[in-house]
PDB file of all heavy atoms in Angstrom:
ATOM      1  N   ASN A  92      41.336 -62.438  -1.748  1.00 98.00           N
ATOM      2  CA  ASN A  92      41.128 -60.908  -1.413  1.00 98.00           C
ATOM      3  C   ASN A  92      40.017 -60.448  -2.374  1.00 98.00           C
ATOM      4  O   ASN A  92      39.535 -61.119  -3.083  1.00 98.00           O
ATOM      5  CB  ASN A  92      42.405 -60.223  -1.872  1.00 98.00           C
ATOM      6  CG  ASN A  92      42.918 -60.497  -3.288  1.00 98.00           C
ATOM      7  OD1 ASN A  92      42.357 -60.224  -4.271  1.00 98.00           O
ATOM      8  ND2 ASN A  92      44.050 -61.301  -3.352  1.00 98.00           N
ATOM      9  N   GLY A  93      39.684 -59.141  -2.288  1.00 98.00           N
ATOM     10  CA  GLY A  93      38.515 -58.607  -3.064  1.00 98.00           C
ATOM     11  C   GLY A  93      38.830 -58.525  -4.534  1.00 98.00           C
ATOM     12  O   GLY A  93      37.904 -58.607  -5.291  1.00 98.00           O
ATOM     13  N   THR A  94      40.035 -58.235  -4.839  1.00 98.00           N
ATOM     14  CA  THR A  94      40.243 -58.147  -6.289  1.00 98.00           C
ATOM     15  C   THR A  94      40.092 -59.644  -6.930  1.00 98.00           C
ATOM     16  O   THR A  94      39.413 -59.673  -7.920  1.00 98.00           O
ATOM     17  CB  THR A  94      41.773 -57.780  -6.438  1.00 98.00           C
ATOM     18  OG1 THR A  94      42.041 -56.606  -5.683  1.00 98.00           O
ATOM     19  CG2 THR A  94      41.992 -57.401  -7.910  1.00 98.00           C
ATOM     20  N   LEU A  97      36.603 -60.285  -7.545  1.00 98.00           N
ATOM     21  CA  LEU A  97      36.033 -59.664  -8.701  1.00 98.00           C
ATOM     22  C   LEU A  97      36.460 -60.561  -9.963  1.00 98.00           C
ATOM     23  O   LEU A  97      35.641 -60.671 -10.885  1.00 98.00           O
ATOM     24  CB  LEU A  97      36.468 -58.262  -8.854  1.00 98.00           C
ATOM     25  CG  LEU A  97      35.891 -57.221  -7.941  1.00 98.00           C
ATOM     26  CD1 LEU A  97      36.699 -55.857  -8.014  1.00 98.00           C
ATOM     27  CD2 LEU A  97      34.424 -56.871  -8.302  1.00 98.00           C
ATOM     28  N   THR A 118      36.214 -45.179  -8.618  1.00 98.00           N
ATOM     29  CA  THR A 118      36.249 -46.340  -7.818  1.00 98.00           C
ATOM     30  C   THR A 118      37.767 -46.709  -7.630  1.00 98.00           C
ATOM     31  O   THR A 118      38.579 -46.011  -8.222  1.00 98.00           O
ATOM     32  CB  THR A 118      35.457 -47.512  -8.431  1.00 98.00           C
ATOM     33  OG1 THR A 118      35.671 -48.718  -7.606  1.00 98.00           O
ATOM     34  CG2 THR A 118      36.044 -47.871  -9.846  1.00 98.00           C
ATOM     35  N   PHE A 119      38.047 -47.608  -6.714  1.00 98.00           N
ATOM     36  CA  PHE A 119      39.397 -48.036  -6.487  1.00 98.00           C
ATOM     37  C   PHE A 119      39.882 -48.757  -7.819  1.00 98.00           C
ATOM     38  O   PHE A 119      39.008 -49.395  -8.387  1.00 98.00           O
ATOM     39  CB  PHE A 119      39.441 -48.955  -5.287  1.00 98.00           C
ATOM     40  CG  PHE A 119      40.906 -49.389  -5.055  1.00 98.00           C
ATOM     41  CD1 PHE A 119      41.947 -48.506  -5.052  1.00 98.00           C
ATOM     42  CD2 PHE A 119      41.253 -50.786  -4.875  1.00 98.00           C
ATOM     43  CE1 PHE A 119      43.247 -49.020  -4.715  1.00 98.00           C
ATOM     44  CE2 PHE A 119      42.469 -51.188  -4.749  1.00 98.00           C
ATOM     45  CZ  PHE A 119      43.503 -50.267  -4.691  1.00 98.00           C
ATOM     46  N   ALA A 121      41.217 -51.500  -8.398  1.00 98.00           N
ATOM     47  CA  ALA A 121      40.974 -52.875  -8.504  1.00 98.00           C
ATOM     48  C   ALA A 121      39.753 -53.240  -9.362  1.00 98.00           C
ATOM     49  O   ALA A 121      39.757 -54.284  -9.901  1.00 98.00           O
ATOM     50  CB  ALA A 121      40.855 -53.439  -7.215  1.00 98.00           C
ATOM     51  N   THR A 122      38.728 -52.401  -9.374  1.00 98.00           N
ATOM     52  CA  THR A 122      37.454 -52.655 -10.126  1.00 98.00           C
ATOM     53  C   THR A 122      37.798 -52.968 -11.638  1.00 98.00           C
ATOM     54  O   THR A 122      37.334 -54.012 -12.204  1.00 98.00           O
ATOM     55  CB  THR A 122      36.520 -51.498  -9.864  1.00 98.00           C
ATOM     56  OG1 THR A 122      36.412 -51.227  -8.483  1.00 98.00           O
ATOM     57  CG2 THR A 122      35.163 -51.936 -10.504  1.00 98.00           C
ATOM     58  N   VAL A 164      29.430 -50.597  -8.528  1.00 98.00           N
ATOM     59  CA  VAL A 164      30.157 -50.499  -7.218  1.00 98.00           C
ATOM     60  C   VAL A 164      29.357 -49.685  -6.224  1.00 98.00           C
ATOM     61  O   VAL A 164      28.750 -48.722  -6.637  1.00 98.00           O
ATOM     62  CB  VAL A 164      31.495 -49.719  -7.465  1.00 98.00           C
ATOM     63  CG1 VAL A 164      32.416 -49.617  -6.192  1.00 98.00           C
ATOM     64  CG2 VAL A 164      32.353 -50.338  -8.556  1.00 98.00           C
ATOM     65  N   ASP A 190      30.309 -55.001  -7.105  1.00 98.00           N
ATOM     66  CA  ASP A 190      31.578 -54.831  -6.372  1.00 98.00           C
ATOM     67  C   ASP A 190      31.041 -54.233  -5.048  1.00 98.00           C
ATOM     68  O   ASP A 190      30.821 -53.161  -4.883  1.00 98.00           O
ATOM     69  CB  ASP A 190      32.412 -53.841  -7.054  1.00 98.00           C
ATOM     70  CG  ASP A 190      33.734 -53.655  -6.313  1.00 98.00           C
ATOM     71  OD1 ASP A 190      33.776 -53.895  -5.078  1.00 98.00           O
ATOM     72  OD2 ASP A 190      34.803 -53.174  -6.877  1.00 98.00           O
ATOM     73  N   ALA A 192      32.895 -54.328  -2.221  1.00 98.00           N
ATOM     74  CA  ALA A 192      34.131 -54.259  -1.319  1.00 98.00           C
ATOM     75  C   ALA A 192      34.017 -53.285  -0.277  1.00 98.00           C
ATOM     76  O   ALA A 192      34.401 -53.513   0.885  1.00 98.00           O
ATOM     77  CB  ALA A 192      35.406 -53.932  -2.263  1.00 98.00           C
ATOM     78  N   GLN A 193      33.095 -52.358  -0.507  1.00 98.00           N
ATOM     79  CA  GLN A 193      32.769 -51.304   0.530  1.00 98.00           C
ATOM     80  C   GLN A 193      31.487 -51.387   1.181  1.00 98.00           C
ATOM     81  O   GLN A 193      31.153 -50.380   1.850  1.00 98.00           O
ATOM     82  CB  GLN A 193      33.093 -49.778   0.009  1.00 98.00           C
ATOM     83  CG  GLN A 193      34.547 -49.826  -0.624  1.00 98.00           C
ATOM     84  CD  GLN A 193      34.872 -48.397  -1.168  1.00 98.00           C
ATOM     85  OE1 GLN A 193      34.128 -47.379  -0.938  1.00 98.00           O
ATOM     86  NE2 GLN A 193      36.061 -48.272  -1.807  1.00 98.00           N
ATOM     87  N   SER A 214      35.415 -57.576  -0.046  1.00 99.00           N
ATOM     88  CA  SER A 214      36.869 -57.567   0.348  1.00 99.00           C
ATOM     89  C   SER A 214      36.866 -57.519   1.803  1.00 99.00           C
ATOM     90  O   SER A 214      35.989 -56.816   2.478  1.00 99.00           O
ATOM     91  CB  SER A 214      37.387 -56.238  -0.191  1.00 99.00           C
ATOM     92  OG  SER A 214      38.641 -56.027   0.501  1.00 99.00           O
ATOM     93  N   PHE A 215      37.824 -58.232   2.369  1.00 98.00           N
ATOM     94  CA  PHE A 215      37.995 -58.255   3.833  1.00 98.00           C
ATOM     95  C   PHE A 215      39.358 -57.432   4.231  1.00 98.00           C
ATOM     96  O   PHE A 215      39.890 -57.763   5.304  1.00 98.00           O
ATOM     97  CB  PHE A 215      37.932 -59.545   4.491  1.00 98.00           C
ATOM     98  CG  PHE A 215      36.686 -60.212   4.233  1.00 98.00           C
ATOM     99  CD1 PHE A 215      36.723 -61.538   3.704  1.00 98.00           C
ATOM    100  CD2 PHE A 215      35.422 -59.650   4.406  1.00 98.00           C
ATOM    101  CE1 PHE A 215      35.577 -62.235   3.390  1.00 98.00           C
ATOM    102  CE2 PHE A 215      34.297 -60.333   3.987  1.00 98.00           C
ATOM    103  CZ  PHE A 215      34.277 -61.558   3.484  1.00 98.00           C
ATOM    104  N   PHE A 216      39.839 -56.545   3.445  1.00 98.00           N
ATOM    105  CA  PHE A 216      40.957 -55.748   3.716  1.00 98.00           C
ATOM    106  C   PHE A 216      40.709 -55.103   5.077  1.00 98.00           C
ATOM    107  O   PHE A 216      39.530 -54.742   5.420  1.00 98.00           O
ATOM    108  CB  PHE A 216      41.086 -54.598   2.549  1.00 98.00           C
ATOM    109  CG  PHE A 216      42.282 -53.819   2.785  1.00 98.00           C
ATOM    110  CD1 PHE A 216      43.500 -54.256   2.268  1.00 98.00           C
ATOM    111  CD2 PHE A 216      42.238 -52.583   3.320  1.00 98.00           C
ATOM    112  CE1 PHE A 216      44.625 -53.395   2.517  1.00 98.00           C
ATOM    113  CE2 PHE A 216      43.374 -51.749   3.609  1.00 98.00           C
ATOM    114  CZ  PHE A 216      44.635 -52.254   3.131  1.00 98.00           C
ATOM    115  N   LYS A 219      37.993 -52.507   5.819  1.00 98.00           N
ATOM    116  CA  LYS A 219      36.605 -52.577   5.353  1.00 98.00           C
ATOM    117  C   LYS A 219      35.631 -52.852   6.441  1.00 98.00           C
ATOM    118  O   LYS A 219      35.999 -53.166   7.603  1.00 98.00           O
ATOM    119  CB  LYS A 219      36.675 -53.752   4.315  1.00 98.00           C
ATOM    120  CG  LYS A 219      37.472 -53.586   3.030  1.00 98.00           C
ATOM    121  CD  LYS A 219      37.030 -52.434   2.158  1.00 98.00           C
ATOM    122  CE  LYS A 219      37.569 -52.391   0.842  1.00 98.00           C
ATOM    123  NZ  LYS A 219      38.767 -51.486   0.677  1.00 98.00           N
ATOM    124  N   ASP A 226      44.630 -60.057   4.120  1.00 98.00           N
ATOM    125  CA  ASP A 226      43.701 -59.886   2.960  1.00 98.00           C
ATOM    126  C   ASP A 226      42.690 -61.012   3.017  1.00 98.00           C
ATOM    127  O   ASP A 226      42.914 -62.233   3.539  1.00 98.00           O
ATOM    128  CB  ASP A 226      44.550 -60.095   1.656  1.00 98.00           C
ATOM    129  CG  ASP A 226      45.132 -58.670   1.271  1.00 98.00           C
ATOM    130  OD1 ASP A 226      44.479 -57.765   1.224  1.00 98.00           O
ATOM    131  OD2 ASP A 226      46.430 -58.799   0.978  1.00 98.00           O
ATOM    132  N   GLY A 227      41.551 -60.815   2.316  1.00 98.00           N
ATOM    133  CA  GLY A 227      40.520 -61.874   2.216  1.00 98.00           C
ATOM    134  C   GLY A 227      39.436 -61.334   1.384  1.00 98.00           C
ATOM    135  O   GLY A 227      39.324 -60.163   1.045  1.00 98.00           O
ATOM    136  N   TYR A 342      38.738 -40.473  -4.425  1.00 96.00           N
ATOM    137  CA  TYR A 342      40.109 -40.753  -5.117  1.00 96.00           C
ATOM    138  C   TYR A 342      40.621 -39.444  -5.861  1.00 96.00           C
ATOM    139  O   TYR A 342      39.870 -38.755  -6.437  1.00 96.00           O
ATOM    140  CB  TYR A 342      39.847 -41.887  -6.069  1.00 96.00           C
ATOM    141  CG  TYR A 342      39.365 -43.104  -5.426  1.00 96.00           C
ATOM    142  CD1 TYR A 342      38.014 -43.450  -5.263  1.00 96.00           C
ATOM    143  CD2 TYR A 342      40.283 -44.023  -4.726  1.00 96.00           C
ATOM    144  CE1 TYR A 342      37.631 -44.545  -4.490  1.00 96.00           C
ATOM    145  CE2 TYR A 342      39.819 -45.069  -4.032  1.00 96.00           C
ATOM    146  CZ  TYR A 342      38.532 -45.359  -3.989  1.00 96.00           C
ATOM    147  OH  TYR A 342      38.056 -46.483  -3.318  1.00 96.00           O
TER     148      TYR A 342
HETATM  149  C1  PLP B  44      35.721 -50.669  -4.593  1.00 59.79           C
HETATM  150  C2  PLP B  44      36.743 -51.654  -4.361  1.00 59.79           C
HETATM  151  N1  PLP B  44      36.870 -52.617  -5.316  1.00 59.79           N
HETATM  152  C3  PLP B  44      37.853 -53.625  -5.031  1.00 59.79           C
HETATM  153  C4  PLP B  44      38.674 -53.725  -4.057  1.00 59.79           C
HETATM  154  C5  PLP B  44      39.693 -54.635  -3.898  1.00 59.79           C
HETATM  155  O1  PLP B  44      39.715 -55.416  -2.621  1.00 59.79           O
HETATM  156  P1  PLP B  44      41.126 -55.990  -2.020  1.00 59.79           P
HETATM  157  O2  PLP B  44      41.991 -54.866  -1.621  1.00 59.79           O
HETATM  158  O3  PLP B  44      40.737 -56.982  -1.039  1.00 59.79           O
HETATM  159  O4  PLP B  44      41.800 -56.768  -3.249  1.00 59.79           O
HETATM  160  C6  PLP B  44      38.604 -52.676  -3.024  1.00 59.79           C
HETATM  161  C7  PLP B  44      39.572 -52.611  -2.015  1.00 59.79           C
HETATM  162  O5  PLP B  44      40.139 -51.644  -1.669  1.00 59.79           O
HETATM  163  C8  PLP B  44      37.625 -51.591  -3.309  1.00 59.79           C
HETATM  164  O6  PLP B  44      37.480 -50.585  -2.368  1.00 59.79           O
END
Side-chain angles (χ1 to χ4, degrees):
N92 55 66
T94 310
L97 288 168
T118 174
F119 180 55
T122 310
V164 181
D190 179 340
Q193 303 189 8
S214 162
F215 303 128
F216 185 82
K219 296 293 196 267
D226 280 312
Y342 298 92

